[in-house]
Structure formats: C-alpha cells, structure tokens
Amino acid sequence: MEAKGLKRNCTGNLETRVQEETLPPTSYVTWDIFLIQASTSLEKLKILCKEDEENVNPSTLIKLYTQAILDMTYFEENKLVDEDFPEDTSLQKVKELIAILSEPEVVVKESSLHPKHSDMLGPELLECLYWRRGALLYMYCHTVTAREEGQSKKRDVLKKCLIDGISYLLKMFTFRCPLHLNEEVSFQDTDTAKLLSEGIFSDTHLLATMYTGEMCYWGLKYCVNEEPENCDIDTNGPGTSSTLLKESLEFREIGEKILRKYISICEGPLKGQAWNTTNAKKILNFFQHCHH
C-alpha cells in the first residue's frame, strides 16, 4: 500500500468514527471539545488528501489521524467513567475503544511505508496510545474489582483484561531509552537525571508504574488460581505480548519490581512533590505475605 492507500485508510476510518458519534447530552459538555478537535483533524486530513502525493508527508497524515482518534476515544472513555462503567454494556465498549486505539499502528503496518511504527508515529504518540489502552483497562478493572459480584463472576475476563492492561503499560516504557548515567558525564540537576535514567519522562510514566502495580495486586488477589475460559472480550492489539496472554502472568514478580521503583522515585528525586506511597507499600506488604 502506497501513500495513496494511507490517505484512503486514514480519512475513511476516521470519518466513519466521527460520524458514528452523536452530540453529547448536557452532562458530557465538559468533554465535547474533544469531539470538536477530532472533527477538526478530519477536515485537515481531507484537505491534505486532496493535494498531490508528492506534496504530502505520510507522517503528517498518520499523526493527524492518531490525534483525532486520541481525542475521540478520550470523550468516550470519560463517558464510561462518568457512568461508572455500566455492567451490561461497558465490556463491549472497552473492547471497541481498545480496537480503535490500535488502528494507527495497523494503518502504518498496512501502508508498508516504514519498517517500524516508531519511524512514522514517533515515540510520544506511541507512548500515548499504549498509555490510553492500559489506563482504560486499569479503570475498567478498578470498577469491576470494587463491585462485590466482580470478585466471583467472570474472573477469566478480569484476568484477561489485567494481563492486557499490564502488557500495554509495560510496552509504553520501551519506546525511549533511559538516560545512561556514568562518572564521565556531569548533570546540573541530579534529580532530573535520576528520573530520566529510570525511564520516567513525565508524570504519566510514573502513574503507569503505580497502575501496573495495582493491577498486579488485583491479579494475584482475585485471579491467580483461575484457569482461563472462553472470554467474551478480545483486547489483542499491536504490542500485546502473546506470551503473556498465553501464560499466567507473574503478578507478584512484576508488581514487586515496579512498585519498588515507584516508591524509590517518589521518596527519592520526587520527595516532597506530593506523590503518595502509602498504597504502594500496602500492596508490597500483601505481595510479601501472600502465599498464592
């Protein structure tokens, strides 16, 4: 597929998505700006796609397409949160949103214009796509585990969502290399250098470590003895580890490692910056005393 095919995929997919959305009711007016932004990106894409292929950078097209998807899905995600993830419909909606957030990488792969997704999308957009999928599954699992029935019903689905959510968040840390510290290089701000050496480039990266730790806790507490059954959700997408999906995730090992990192950062270079470690320490204590 050449640049022409990329144009067709971007505009066709996105126009369908935007047209499927309706004007939000008054309770969602806070979030309707994101649908407006998505629509604006679509119009920009249409204009660019009318130009000669030689004058259009494919990277510009896919980035506009990706930003529109991020805006549109953010609106939908906040609707789910505001509605407290309705039991009858939220699982299917989460599945749909995960699939939509996977589309930019699928389009890039099908275009065959670049051997790597990062060459066209760039690390920041890729991090955002993986963060949004992981955070969405985190919020869904948070709601499910808070409901009494969620602790005894459909644990196979919960486990699948936890494993996929953890996989997405861990993948988020792979698109940029941590800063390498050594004695030959001096830094004026040692705290910032320490953060960069740990792969923490933003607040979102740090929050992702805590989310991962919490999902490992839920997995160990509710799902570790459950055998996978036929799930009615399939969150498979680019970057999801097939190995992790086929085998039982080592919730304790991953959880302990990433929460120790979180605590070390919050009580080290970010000490005094209002990052709370109380819950992280409680989960670590659970890991150490749980006999699963």
Side-chain angles (χ1 to χ4, degrees):
M1 184 185 297
E2 299 177 351
K4 185 176 181 180
L6 180 63
K7 291 180 182 181
R8 183 172 59 252
N9 273 16
C10 285
T11 54
N13 291 352
L14 186 56
E15 188 164 20
T16 300
R17 299 298 185 195
V18 174
Q19 288 175 349
E20 287 175 351
E21 303 300 335
T22 57
L23 290 177
T26 54
S27 59
Y28 302 131
V29 293
T30 305
W31 310 115
D32 64 352
I33 183 63
F34 296 101
L35 281 184
I36 295 172
Q37 291 174 180
S39 181
T40 301
S41 295
L42 173 59
E43 291 306 314
K44 291 180 180 178
L45 269 174
K46 286 181 176 180
I47 293 172
L48 287 173
C49 288
K50 291 178 181 178
E51 298 183 6
D52 293 336
E53 291 182 22
E54 293 77 9
N55 299 324
V56 179
N57 185 340
S59 181
T60 301
L61 294 178
I62 194 64
K63 287 178 179 178
L64 267 175
Y65 173 64
T66 301
Q67 189 57 58
I69 282 199
L70 289 169
D71 287 333
M72 183 190 68
T73 52
Y74 191 64
F75 168 79
E76 288 295 334
E77 288 169 28
N78 279 285
K79 280 174 60 178
L80 282 173
V81 173
D82 287 348
E83 296 168 354
D84 198 27
F85 288 89
E87 293 184 53
D88 295 338
T89 59
S90 62
L91 187 61
Q92 179 61 28
K93 190 63 181 179
V94 167
K95 174 184 176 181
E96 292 171 359
L97 289 172
I98 293 291
I100 294 171
L101 286 164
S102 300
E103 284 183 3
E105 290 174 275
V106 173
V107 170
V108 171
K109 183 178 180 180
E110 290 179 347
S111 71
S112 300
L113 291 174
H114 290 276
K116 297 181 181 179
H117 300 157
S118 57
D119 291 340
M120 185 175 284
L121 284 165
E124 291 186 3
L125 276 179
L126 282 169
E127 285 176 351
C128 192
L129 287 168
Y130 281 86
W131 158 252
R132 288 281 297 280
R133 281 175 282 183
L136 174 61
L137 288 168
Y138 166 85
M139 290 185 289
Y140 173 76
C141 293
H142 183 279
T143 303
V144 169
T145 55
R147 292 173 180 155
E148 183 177 351
E149 65 271 24
Q151 299 175 14
S152 58
K153 297 179 181 179
K154 294 188 176 179
R155 290 194 183 182
D156 53 329
V157 175
L158 174 61
K159 183 175 182 180
K160 178 69 162 58
C161 290
L162 288 170
I163 290 175
D164 283 1
I166 292 167
S167 298
Y168 284 127
L169 292 179
L170 292 179
K171 181 72 174 180
M172 173 189 167
F173 289 94
T174 66
F175 298 110
R176 282 190 269 186
C177 295
L179 179 68
H180 181 65
L181 300 180
N182 58 62
E183 296 179 354
E184 298 178 358
V185 181
S186 61
F187 300 92
Q188 292 183 343
D189 188 338
T190 55
D191 285 342
T192 299
K194 177 64 175 176
L195 290 173
L196 298 179
S197 72
E198 293 286 349
I200 304 298
F201 297 95
S202 67
D203 288 353
T204 303
H205 287 84
L206 185 57
L207 192 56
T209 65
M210 187 63 209
Y211 278 12
T212 301
E214 285 188 85
M215 285 195 284
C216 287
Y217 163 71
W218 297 328
L220 189 61
K221 185 174 182 179
Y222 301 124
C223 307
V224 74
N225 292 323
E226 297 294 322
E227 291 298 326
E229 300 174 9
N230 293 325
C231 303
D232 54 355
I233 182 173
D234 180 10
T235 54
N236 288 346
T240 306
S241 170
S242 59
T243 301
L244 288 180
L245 296 179
K246 292 177 180 177
E247 300 176 2
S248 176
L249 185 67
E250 294 294 336
F251 292 115
R252 188 201 308 269
E253 181 180 352
I254 293 175
E256 283 189 352
K257 181 178 180 180
I258 204 156
L259 286 181
R260 290 187 189 281
K261 177 177 181 176
Y262 172 83
I263 293 170
S264 173
I265 291 170
C266 292
E267 296 184 349
L270 291 181
K271 186 175 182 179
Q273 299 298 315
W275 286 92
N276 194 310
T277 60
T278 302
N279 193 39
K281 291 179 178 178
K282 287 182 178 178
I283 294 175
L284 269 181
N285 184 63
F286 173 84
F287 287 150
Q288 292 165 1
H289 294 89
C290 179
H291 299 293
H292 281 307

